[in-house]
Amino acid sequence: MRIAHVVTYVSADGAFGGPVAVAVAQTEELARRGHEVELLAGWDGRATLPCSPVRHRLFGVHRFGPGFVGLAAPGLWLYLARNRRRYDAVHVHLGRDLISLVAAGLVLGGPAKLTVQTHGMVMPRSRPAVRVVDAVATRRVLGGANAVLVLTEDERRGVTKLMERHGSVRTVPNGVPAPRQPRSDRRAAPPVVMFLGRLHPRKRVLVFAQAARLLVKAGCPAMFEVLGPDEGDLPALRAYIAAQGLGDRLVYRGAVAQGEACAELQRASVYVLPSVGEIFPMTILEALSVGTPAVLTSDCGIAAELQRRGAATVTDGTVEALAAAVARLLTDELYRARQIADAHAAIQDWLSITAVGTILEDVYR
Protein backbone atom coordinates (compact mmCIF):
# COMPACT_ATOMS: atom_id res chain seq x y z
CA MET A 1 0.00 0.00 0.00
CA ARG A 2 0.95 3.64 -0.42
CA ILE A 3 0.60 5.23 2.99
CA ALA A 4 1.17 8.74 4.37
CA HIS A 5 1.41 9.63 8.05
CA VAL A 6 0.96 13.24 9.16
CA VAL A 7 2.25 14.51 12.51
CA THR A 8 2.10 18.11 13.68
CA TYR A 9 5.64 19.14 14.55
CA VAL A 10 9.17 17.81 14.57
CA SER A 11 11.67 19.96 16.46
CA ALA A 12 15.22 19.69 17.73
CA ASP A 13 14.07 19.83 21.36
CA GLY A 14 11.55 17.01 20.89
CA ALA A 15 8.75 19.24 22.21
CA PHE A 16 5.92 17.34 20.48
CA GLY A 17 7.28 14.18 22.05
CA GLY A 18 5.05 11.11 22.08
CA PRO A 19 3.05 11.52 18.86
CA VAL A 20 6.25 11.94 16.84
CA ALA A 21 7.82 8.87 18.45
CA VAL A 22 4.67 6.88 17.71
CA ALA A 23 4.53 8.07 14.09
CA VAL A 24 8.20 7.22 13.51
CA ALA A 25 7.83 3.74 15.02
CA GLN A 26 4.66 2.99 13.06
CA THR A 27 5.97 4.21 9.71
CA GLU A 28 9.23 2.28 10.10
CA GLU A 29 7.31 -0.92 10.89
CA LEU A 30 5.02 -0.41 7.89
CA ALA A 31 8.03 0.20 5.62
CA ARG A 32 9.66 -2.97 6.99
CA ARG A 33 6.55 -4.82 5.83
CA GLY A 34 7.06 -3.61 2.26
CA HIS A 35 4.65 -0.67 2.10
CA GLU A 36 5.57 2.63 0.43
CA VAL A 37 5.46 5.08 3.32
CA GLU A 38 5.90 8.84 3.73
CA LEU A 39 5.95 10.84 6.95
CA LEU A 40 4.80 14.47 6.58
CA ALA A 41 5.40 16.92 9.41
CA GLY A 42 5.74 20.55 10.36
CA TRP A 43 9.38 21.36 11.09
CA ASP A 44 11.48 23.81 13.06
CA GLY A 45 14.20 23.83 10.37
CA ARG A 46 16.78 22.12 12.60
CA ALA A 47 15.54 18.69 13.68
CA THR A 48 16.49 15.46 11.95
CA LEU A 49 14.74 12.10 11.99
CA PRO A 50 16.49 8.71 12.00
CA CYS A 51 17.53 7.31 8.64
CA SER A 52 15.04 4.67 7.55
CA PRO A 53 13.19 3.35 4.48
CA VAL A 54 10.49 5.91 5.26
CA ARG A 55 10.53 9.10 3.14
CA HIS A 56 10.46 12.05 5.53
CA ARG A 57 8.98 15.25 4.15
CA LEU A 58 9.43 18.11 6.61
CA PHE A 59 7.81 21.49 6.02
CA GLY A 60 8.69 24.78 7.66
CA VAL A 61 6.09 26.23 10.00
CA HIS A 62 4.76 29.73 10.61
CA ARG A 63 3.67 30.74 14.08
CA PHE A 64 0.40 32.64 14.50
CA GLY A 65 -0.12 32.06 18.20
CA PRO A 66 1.16 30.27 21.32
CA GLY A 67 1.86 26.57 21.58
CA PHE A 68 1.27 23.98 18.90
CA VAL A 69 -2.19 25.33 18.10
CA GLY A 70 -0.51 28.49 16.82
CA LEU A 71 1.52 26.69 14.14
CA ALA A 72 0.68 26.53 10.44
CA ALA A 73 2.42 24.54 7.69
CA PRO A 74 1.19 25.80 4.29
CA GLY A 75 3.78 23.72 2.43
CA LEU A 76 2.53 20.52 4.04
CA TRP A 77 -1.08 21.34 3.22
CA LEU A 78 -0.21 22.15 -0.40
CA TYR A 79 1.82 18.95 -0.81
CA LEU A 80 -0.96 16.83 0.67
CA ALA A 81 -3.62 18.54 -1.46
CA ARG A 82 -1.61 17.81 -4.61
CA ASN A 83 -0.76 14.19 -3.71
CA ARG A 84 -3.69 12.92 -1.66
CA ARG A 85 -5.11 10.89 -4.55
CA ARG A 86 -2.03 8.73 -4.89
CA TYR A 87 -2.25 7.32 -1.36
CA ASP A 88 -4.28 4.29 -0.38
CA ALA A 89 -4.33 5.44 3.24
CA VAL A 90 -3.55 8.66 5.11
CA HIS A 91 -2.97 8.39 8.86
CA VAL A 92 -3.17 11.70 10.73
CA HIS A 93 -1.89 11.95 14.30
CA LEU A 94 -4.62 14.33 15.35
CA GLY A 95 -4.64 17.13 17.90
CA ARG A 96 -6.60 20.35 18.22
CA ASP A 97 -4.00 22.14 16.12
CA LEU A 98 -4.22 23.77 12.74
CA ILE A 99 -1.65 21.56 11.04
CA SER A 100 -3.27 18.18 11.73
CA LEU A 101 -6.90 19.34 11.54
CA VAL A 102 -6.43 20.98 8.13
CA ALA A 103 -4.47 17.97 6.87
CA ALA A 104 -7.26 15.59 7.90
CA GLY A 105 -9.86 17.87 6.34
CA LEU A 106 -8.03 17.78 3.02
CA VAL A 107 -8.30 13.99 2.90
CA LEU A 108 -11.96 13.73 3.91
CA GLY A 109 -14.17 12.61 1.07
CA GLY A 110 -11.26 11.68 -1.19
CA PRO A 111 -10.18 8.26 -2.47
CA ALA A 112 -7.63 7.65 0.29
CA LYS A 113 -8.94 6.05 3.47
CA LEU A 114 -8.47 8.44 6.41
CA THR A 115 -7.32 7.13 9.78
CA VAL A 116 -6.95 9.55 12.68
CA GLN A 117 -5.18 8.74 15.94
CA THR A 118 -5.83 11.07 18.85
CA HIS A 119 -3.11 10.16 21.42
CA GLY A 120 -5.26 11.40 24.28
CA MET A 121 -5.12 14.94 22.83
CA VAL A 122 -8.77 15.18 21.74
CA MET A 123 -10.93 14.67 24.80
CA PRO A 124 -14.06 16.69 25.71
CA ARG A 125 -13.16 20.06 27.24
CA SER A 126 -15.33 22.85 28.58
CA ARG A 127 -13.21 25.86 27.58
CA PRO A 128 -15.06 28.07 25.07
CA ALA A 129 -12.15 28.23 22.60
CA VAL A 130 -11.88 24.43 22.55
CA ARG A 131 -15.61 24.05 22.03
CA VAL A 132 -15.44 26.40 19.04
CA VAL A 133 -12.62 24.37 17.46
CA ASP A 134 -14.60 21.18 18.03
CA ALA A 135 -17.73 22.65 16.49
CA VAL A 136 -15.88 23.97 13.43
CA ALA A 137 -13.45 21.13 12.72
CA THR A 138 -12.83 18.38 15.26
CA ARG A 139 -16.28 16.78 15.16
CA ARG A 140 -16.33 16.79 11.36
CA VAL A 141 -12.92 15.12 11.11
CA LEU A 142 -13.68 12.46 13.74
CA GLY A 143 -17.07 11.71 12.23
CA GLY A 144 -15.80 11.59 8.65
CA ALA A 145 -12.70 9.45 9.20
CA ASN A 146 -12.77 5.82 8.07
CA ALA A 147 -11.21 4.84 11.40
CA VAL A 148 -10.40 6.57 14.68
CA LEU A 149 -7.66 5.04 16.83
CA VAL A 150 -7.57 5.57 20.59
CA LEU A 151 -5.32 4.24 23.35
CA THR A 152 -7.67 3.32 26.20
CA GLU A 153 -11.34 2.70 26.90
CA ASP A 154 -11.56 6.04 28.72
CA GLU A 155 -10.29 7.77 25.60
CA ARG A 156 -12.75 5.80 23.48
CA ARG A 157 -15.64 7.12 25.55
CA GLY A 158 -14.37 10.70 25.36
CA VAL A 159 -13.75 10.67 21.62
CA THR A 160 -17.12 9.04 20.92
CA LYS A 161 -18.84 11.94 22.69
CA LEU A 162 -17.18 14.36 20.26
CA MET A 163 -18.03 12.56 17.04
CA GLU A 164 -20.66 13.95 14.65
CA ARG A 165 -21.72 10.43 13.92
CA HIS A 166 -20.53 7.14 15.32
CA GLY A 167 -17.87 5.61 13.12
CA SER A 168 -15.21 2.98 13.59
CA VAL A 169 -13.29 3.55 16.84
CA ARG A 170 -10.55 1.05 17.68
CA THR A 171 -8.35 0.76 20.73
CA VAL A 172 -4.74 0.37 19.61
CA PRO A 173 -1.79 0.56 22.01
CA ASN A 174 1.41 2.41 21.33
CA GLY A 175 4.24 0.08 20.41
CA VAL A 176 8.01 -0.11 20.55
CA PRO A 177 10.50 -2.52 19.00
CA ALA A 178 10.74 -5.57 21.24
CA PRO A 179 14.21 -6.81 22.18
CA ARG A 180 14.69 -10.51 21.46
CA GLN A 181 15.73 -11.20 25.04
CA PRO A 182 15.64 -9.23 28.30
CA ARG A 183 18.36 -6.60 28.49
CA SER A 184 21.10 -7.39 30.97
CA ASP A 185 20.89 -5.11 33.98
CA ARG A 186 23.50 -2.37 33.76
CA ARG A 187 23.81 0.47 36.19
CA ALA A 188 26.13 3.42 36.27
CA ALA A 189 28.24 4.14 39.33
CA PRO A 190 26.77 6.15 40.89
CA PRO A 191 23.31 5.13 39.61
CA VAL A 192 21.31 7.66 37.60
CA VAL A 193 17.67 8.39 38.39
CA MET A 194 16.09 10.22 35.46
CA PHE A 195 13.12 12.44 34.64
CA LEU A 196 12.62 12.81 30.88
CA GLY A 197 9.72 14.88 29.59
CA ARG A 198 8.37 18.35 29.00
CA LEU A 199 8.86 20.68 31.95
CA HIS A 200 5.13 21.40 32.07
CA PRO A 201 3.21 21.62 35.37
CA ARG A 202 1.29 18.44 34.49
CA LYS A 203 4.55 16.50 34.33
CA ARG A 204 5.37 17.52 37.94
CA VAL A 205 9.13 17.85 37.66
CA LEU A 206 9.15 19.68 40.99
CA VAL A 207 7.73 16.57 42.66
CA PHE A 208 10.63 14.63 41.13
CA ALA A 209 13.02 17.21 42.59
CA GLN A 210 11.41 16.91 46.03
CA ALA A 211 11.71 13.11 45.90
CA ALA A 212 15.37 13.52 44.92
CA ARG A 213 15.92 15.70 48.00
CA LEU A 214 14.37 13.06 50.27
CA LEU A 215 16.61 10.37 48.79
CA VAL A 216 19.76 12.48 49.06
CA LYS A 217 18.97 13.25 52.71
CA ALA A 218 18.48 9.51 53.33
CA GLY A 219 21.97 8.77 51.97
CA CYS A 220 21.04 7.50 48.49
CA PRO A 221 24.19 7.68 46.33
CA ALA A 222 22.35 8.29 43.04
CA MET A 223 22.67 11.24 40.69
CA PHE A 224 19.37 12.79 39.59
CA GLU A 225 18.97 14.12 36.05
CA VAL A 226 16.18 16.14 34.42
CA LEU A 227 15.91 16.14 30.61
CA GLY A 228 13.33 17.85 28.42
CA PRO A 229 12.22 21.16 26.94
CA ASP A 230 11.02 23.90 29.26
CA GLU A 231 7.27 24.55 29.22
CA GLY A 232 7.07 26.74 32.29
CA ASP A 233 8.64 24.88 35.22
CA LEU A 234 12.37 25.32 34.55
CA PRO A 235 12.79 28.57 36.55
CA ALA A 236 11.04 27.00 39.55
CA LEU A 237 13.18 23.86 39.23
CA ARG A 238 16.40 25.86 39.16
CA ALA A 239 15.26 27.94 42.13
CA TYR A 240 14.46 24.77 44.11
CA ILE A 241 17.84 23.19 43.29
CA ALA A 242 19.63 26.34 44.48
CA ALA A 243 17.51 26.77 47.62
CA GLN A 244 18.02 23.15 48.69
CA GLY A 245 21.73 23.04 47.84
CA LEU A 246 21.26 20.15 45.41
CA GLY A 247 23.40 21.52 42.59
CA ASP A 248 25.92 18.68 42.79
CA ARG A 249 23.26 15.92 42.84
CA LEU A 250 20.30 17.17 40.78
CA VAL A 251 21.06 18.60 37.34
CA TYR A 252 19.07 19.86 34.36
CA ARG A 253 20.66 18.57 31.15
CA GLY A 254 18.46 20.31 28.58
CA ALA A 255 16.15 19.04 25.86
CA VAL A 256 16.58 15.72 24.09
CA ALA A 257 16.74 15.59 20.29
CA GLN A 258 14.04 13.65 18.46
CA GLY A 259 14.94 9.97 18.40
CA GLU A 260 17.47 10.17 21.25
CA ALA A 261 15.16 9.32 24.16
CA CYS A 262 15.96 5.61 24.21
CA ALA A 263 19.70 6.23 24.31
CA GLU A 264 19.26 8.56 27.28
CA LEU A 265 16.89 6.20 29.08
CA GLN A 266 19.33 3.34 28.62
CA ARG A 267 21.86 5.26 30.74
CA ALA A 268 19.42 5.46 33.64
CA SER A 269 19.13 3.03 36.54
CA VAL A 270 15.53 4.13 37.18
CA TYR A 271 13.14 6.27 35.13
CA VAL A 272 10.56 8.33 37.03
CA LEU A 273 7.44 9.84 35.45
CA PRO A 274 5.49 11.64 38.22
CA SER A 275 2.97 13.24 35.84
CA VAL A 276 -0.82 13.15 36.06
CA GLY A 277 -3.38 12.89 33.29
CA GLU A 278 -1.15 10.80 31.01
CA ILE A 279 -2.90 8.36 28.68
CA PHE A 280 -0.19 6.14 27.20
CA PRO A 281 3.23 7.77 27.73
CA MET A 282 5.80 6.68 25.15
CA THR A 283 8.71 7.38 27.50
CA ILE A 284 7.49 4.61 29.81
CA LEU A 285 7.41 2.16 26.90
CA GLU A 286 10.82 3.30 25.71
CA ALA A 287 12.30 2.86 29.19
CA LEU A 288 10.88 -0.64 29.51
CA SER A 289 12.10 -1.58 26.04
CA VAL A 290 15.72 -0.77 26.94
CA GLY A 291 15.58 -2.55 30.29
CA THR A 292 15.26 0.48 32.57
CA PRO A 293 12.76 0.02 35.45
CA ALA A 294 10.07 2.70 35.55
CA VAL A 295 8.14 4.44 38.32
CA LEU A 296 4.87 6.23 37.52
CA THR A 297 1.63 7.34 39.14
CA SER A 298 -1.74 5.61 39.24
CA ASP A 299 -3.18 8.61 37.32
CA CYS A 300 -1.94 7.19 34.03
CA GLY A 301 -4.00 5.30 31.49
CA ILE A 302 -1.76 2.21 31.40
CA ALA A 303 -0.75 2.17 35.09
CA ALA A 304 -3.21 -0.52 36.15
CA GLU A 305 -2.22 -2.93 33.36
CA LEU A 306 1.50 -2.36 33.96
CA GLN A 307 0.97 -3.00 37.66
CA ARG A 308 -1.06 -6.15 36.97
CA ARG A 309 1.78 -7.46 34.81
CA GLY A 310 4.47 -6.44 37.32
CA ALA A 311 6.10 -4.41 34.54
CA ALA A 312 6.48 -1.08 36.41
CA THR A 313 6.18 0.38 39.89
CA VAL A 314 2.94 2.32 40.30
CA THR A 315 2.59 4.85 43.14
CA ASP A 316 -0.01 7.30 44.42
CA GLY A 317 2.17 10.13 43.10
CA THR A 318 3.22 11.60 46.46
CA VAL A 319 6.80 12.65 47.01
CA GLU A 320 7.26 10.00 49.70
CA ALA A 321 5.85 7.18 47.55
CA LEU A 322 8.00 8.09 44.56
CA ALA A 323 11.12 8.24 46.72
CA ALA A 324 10.33 4.87 48.32
CA ALA A 325 9.78 3.26 44.91
CA VAL A 326 13.11 4.54 43.60
CA ALA A 327 14.92 3.39 46.75
CA ARG A 328 13.50 -0.11 46.42
CA LEU A 329 14.50 -0.43 42.77
CA LEU A 330 18.05 0.64 43.65
CA THR A 331 18.45 -1.71 46.61
CA ASP A 332 16.19 -4.75 46.16
CA GLU A 333 17.99 -6.81 43.51
CA LEU A 334 15.34 -9.54 43.26
CA TYR A 335 12.49 -7.06 42.88
CA ARG A 336 14.43 -5.09 40.29
CA ALA A 337 15.33 -8.18 38.23
CA ARG A 338 11.75 -9.46 38.30
CA GLN A 339 10.39 -6.11 37.11
CA ILE A 340 12.87 -5.94 34.23
CA ALA A 341 11.87 -9.47 33.13
CA ASP A 342 8.14 -8.72 33.44
CA ALA A 343 8.57 -5.50 31.47
CA HIS A 344 10.28 -7.45 28.70
CA ALA A 345 7.33 -9.87 28.60
CA ALA A 346 4.86 -6.96 28.45
CA ILE A 347 6.70 -5.45 25.49
CA GLN A 348 6.75 -8.78 23.70
CA ASP A 349 3.08 -9.72 23.97
CA TRP A 350 1.28 -6.40 24.44
CA LEU A 351 3.34 -3.38 23.42
CA SER A 352 5.30 -4.67 20.43
CA ILE A 353 5.35 -2.48 17.33
CA THR A 354 5.08 -5.69 15.29
CA ALA A 355 1.62 -6.35 16.72
CA VAL A 356 0.64 -2.71 16.15
CA GLY A 357 1.76 -2.96 12.51
CA THR A 358 -0.57 -5.90 11.94
CA ILE A 359 -3.48 -3.93 13.40
CA LEU A 360 -2.70 -0.90 11.22
CA GLU A 361 -2.65 -3.00 8.04
CA ASP A 362 -6.07 -4.35 8.96
CA VAL A 363 -7.39 -0.85 9.70
CA TYR A 364 -6.16 0.57 6.39
CA ARG A 365 -7.67 -2.27 4.37
Side-chain angles (χ1 to χ4, degrees), residues 45-165:
R46 297 180 294 125
T48 58
L49 289 173
C51 292
S52 77
V54 178
R55 179 171 292 176
H56 299 142
R57 296 190 182 277
L58 306 178
F59 301 86
V61 298
H62 302 280
R63 184 173 291 281
F64 294 97
F68 301 117
V69 297
L71 298 177
L76 187 157
W77 299 330
L78 181 61
Y79 179 84
L80 186 58
R82 287 174 173 172
N83 292 277
R84 58 190 170 183
R85 293 185 175 278
R86 70 184 186 85
Y87 300 118
D88 300 301
V90 176
H91 183 141
V92 178
H93 298 267
L94 188 74
R96 286 187 178 94
D97 64 86
L98 203 57
I99 294 176
S100 64
L101 282 170
V102 172
L106 288 169
V107 180
L108 280 177
K113 292 183 178 179
L114 174 64
T115 297
V116 298
Q117 185 168 3
T118 53
H119 299 280
M121 299 186 293
V122 185
M123 295 288 277
R125 296 287 184 265
S126 59
R127 285 184 297 159
V130 172
R131 295 178 70 175
V132 169
V133 172
D134 288 346
V136 171
T138 314
R139 293 180 185 277
R140 175 173 171 265
V141 167
L142 292 173
N146 297 91
V148 178
L149 308 185
V150 298
L151 292 165
T152 65
E153 286 305 307
D154 283 345
E155 188 182 8
R156 174 196 286 271
R157 286 189 287 271
V159 167
T160 301
K161 288 179 181 178
L162 289 173
M163 296 176 72
E164 267 184 359
R165 58 182 180 80

Side-chain angles (χ1 to χ4, degrees), residues 266-282:
Q266 195 164 15
R267 293 191 302 104
S269 302
V270 179
Y271 172 57
V272 181
L273 183 68
S275 61
V276 295
E278 295 278 1
I279 300 292
F280 216 105
M282 274 298 289

